[in-house]
Amino acid sequence: MKPFLREVAEYILEVHPTDLDRVAIVVPTRRAAFFVKQELANATDRTIICPTIQAIEDFVETVSALKVADPVSLLFDLYDTFRDIDANIQFDRFMGWASVLLSDLDRIDQYLVDPDYLFDYLTEARAVERWQNSLPKGRTLTDNGGAKNYFGLFENIRKVYHNFRERLATEGKAYRGMAYRHG
């Protein structure tokens, strides 16, 4: 049984025997792009011009008007954006969860999730606070202080998301998911 990429390479060579320079192939990862190129080379005994083969993230970056910024500068931009909303945020505490937040924002845009729907859903978790009022007299939900911080964070995330995207767009920059949504 032939490996899948070998079959793909043979199909491409069969359909485009003389015009490979006009073919563009988008694959999921850079690693996949490497192996497709390798299979194309192995599938022929003649000299060919290799088609353009790109990972999807490279393809999106080429078609997007925004430039995907490096992760470190994105974290500093995110910190500045968060500080505009909450001036009391401490840098060392922010850096503890900032990369997770950036990754979450990236996924929201990469998977084209409706951010307002998502943030509305997340803030519905705030209903737990309201349960406190409906408990019988003398009963209480324990609050270790973390819940208030957690809910306070989600109140600000929607603002951060929109302000952060606006800040980056005015500078012509993006994180990967933003480039996906924009492109």
Side-chain angles (χ1 to χ4, degrees):
M1 181 172 188
K2 281 186 197 175
F4 172 72
L5 290 182
R6 173 58 66 110
E7 287 185 31
V8 169
E10 289 174 356
Y11 176 79
I12 292 168
L13 291 169
E14 180 183 319
V15 174
H16 299 280
T18 59
D19 61 345
L20 282 174
D21 58 324
R22 296 180 46 194
V23 174
I25 303 167
V26 179
V27 293
T29 64
R30 290 182 180 134
R31 182 181 172 120
F34 171 79
F35 285 114
V36 170
K37 287 177 186 178
Q38 190 173 33
E39 285 299 329
L40 276 170
N42 292 337
T44 185
D45 55 358
R46 60 186 171 89
T47 304
I48 60 171
I49 295 177
C50 188
T52 301
I53 304 172
Q54 292 181 301
I56 191 159
E57 71 181 67
D58 296 328
F59 172 74
V60 168
E61 195 169 338
T62 60
V63 297
S64 176
L66 302 173
K67 182 183 180 327
V68 176
D70 68 279
V72 174
S73 68
L74 287 172
L75 287 173
F76 282 108
D77 284 332
L78 184 60
Y79 175 70
D80 289 340
T81 304
F82 211 95
R83 231 177 63 206
D84 291 343
I85 293 169
D86 181 3
N88 296 325
I89 189 75
Q90 296 171 345
F91 184 75
D92 57 333
R93 290 195 65 217
F94 173 81
M95 290 307 291
W97 46 265
S99 61
V100 173
L101 177 60
L102 187 58
S103 174
D104 290 344
L105 298 180
D106 183 57
R107 284 192 196 118
I108 288 168
D109 284 337
Q110 186 175 356
Y111 298 125
L112 303 175
V113 172
D114 178 351
D116 291 321
Y117 176 80
L118 176 69
F119 295 130
D120 286 343
Y121 179 79
L122 290 174
T123 48
E124 286 301 315
R126 196 151 198 200
V128 172
E129 270 184 34
R130 292 188 289 256
W131 292 347
Q132 180 77 29
N133 297 332
S134 64
L135 289 174
K137 194 171 190 171
R139 303 281 313 257
T140 181
L141 291 173
T142 58
D143 182 13
N144 60 7
K148 286 183 182 174
N149 291 339
Y150 178 80
F151 291 126
L153 173 65
F154 277 105
E155 288 176 10
N156 290 330
I157 297 277
R158 179 192 316 254
K159 291 180 212 166
V160 167
Y161 172 81
H162 291 293
N163 293 358
F164 183 51
R165 286 176 47 85
E166 185 178 316
R167 175 188 295 255
L168 292 176
T170 59
E171 297 175 8
K173 298 190 308 188
Y175 48 89
R176 187 183 61 209
M178 184 177 166
Y180 276 47
R181 188 181 291 267
H182 188 271

